[in-house]
Amino acid sequence: MKAVTWQGKRDVRVDEVPDPKIQEPTDAVIRITSTGLCGSDLHLYEVLTPFMTPGDILGHEPMGIVEEVGAEVPNLKPGDRVVVPFQISCGHCFMCSAGLTTQCETTQVTSEGMGAALFGYTRLYGAVPGAQAEYLRVPQAQFGPIKLPEGPPDDRFLYLSDVLPTAWQAVAYADVPRGGSVAVLGLGPIGDMACRIAKARGAERVFGVDLVPERLVRARRRGVETYDLRGFDHEKGLVAAIRDETQGRGPDAVIDAVGTEAHGSAAARLVQQAAAVLPHALSAPLAERFSVDRLAALHAAIELVRRGGTLSLSGIYGGTADPMPMITLFDKQIQMRMGQANVRRWTDEIMPYLTDEDPLGVDDFATHRLPLSDAPHAYEMFQRKQEGAVKVVMRP
């Protein structure tokens, strides 16, 4: 089959690889009909290269048709249409029963000290072959895949794999009071969708911050009060502008949908770049023990949120040596919640929004739809923020 493989920093290719097969009785194999390109895939493209191996299959946002199921997957049959969450979880362990499927004790990558295994996402998360391919082996298929109705286009349901539950959890963790306010830093796919969900869940004012014109225009069309970061000489100007709109306090909650790729520390970027180009024997220990994130977005969020407010982090951070302004967090009595989205915890709440009325705008959420063979161009375009790319969907 054809699959998108990682070959090095900023080097992805579409290669012929062996077809996946049933390996465990809880497996299924699906034929992929649509697969997304996620912002976190760009971390593998550039930042997290020390944890990758040439030939790794990328991708974690798939949907498609069941081709084959193992003996212990009673709820699926060949021909079923499904969307597959990006994390692999069993549904019955202590963590899954508590709604923390991203901490699944059955698939935890204990050898790396990490949580549940993820599709297509480095050895830290199990090095499980990913979903930017023609076919996908799905472990723990008795729980993970979500059966879908026939009829609506793939885009109606594709984002249940990642974008929708990640944005939904970001808003839920932000705990925005009905009639309250929230600022969203970063208007990529997750930030954009978080704005839509916040409004749908009753937030009165939603502020969106970015520096990519197309993203700002897209959010503004859906009633978001947008701020172009390029219009401020310093983050303090941005903070003051939004405080002026919130009785001088700041918003009730701030969602950081940027993560470690924020523009900021040159020193942190230097460490990231050094780890990406060193030989594997040196780069992985450097990244594991001394990795530093670029924390500009997080520091801005801490400064912006009102006293007693909530920070919700959906952008990925991976550093182990990050300086945190603990005195400010403590003094402002800020609550902070974060983590990979617990996909199946939220899907039942999201499903009523995926109606023909399409209140969240999922049907036209993708800005680009490309064949899988164009994956190298898709990655470059998305990483460079060219051609108005906000969300890319590929089809084998």
Side-chain angles (χ1 to χ4, degrees), residues 161-177:
S161 60
D162 185 349
V163 173
L164 280 167
T166 297
W168 191 277
Q169 178 172 293
V171 175
Y173 279 9
D175 197 24
V176 186

Side-chain angles (χ1 to χ4, degrees), residues 9-10 37 39 41-43 45-47 215 261 269 376-386 389 392:
K9 183 177 179 179
R10 298 182 188 169
L37 174 56
D41 289 325
L42 297 183
H43 294 117
Y45 192 61
E46 183 164 12
V47 177
R215 294 181 177 186
E261 293 210 43
R269 181 168 180 81
H377 168 65
Y379 269 82
E380 182 178 13
M381 173 182 66
F382 191 33
Q383 196 268 342
R384 295 178 180 273
K385 299 179 175 63
Q386 296 173 335
V392 179

Side-chain angles (χ1 to χ4, degrees), residues 24 26-27 72 87-97 100-111 114-118 125-126 128 137 139-144:
E24 302 290 341
T26 52
D27 287 351
E72 296 179 17
Q87 69 215 200
I88 303 168
S89 49
C90 70
H92 57 73
C93 69
F94 173 86
M95 289 294 179
C96 287
S97 298
L100 296 169
T101 53
T102 194
Q103 308 300 329
C104 175
E105 292 176 324
T106 300
T107 73
Q108 274 181 17
V109 187
T110 54
S111 61
M114 305 301 278
L118 309 179
Y125 288 99
V128 180
R137 170 181 165 255
Q140 303 298 323
Q142 81 289 344
F143 176 70

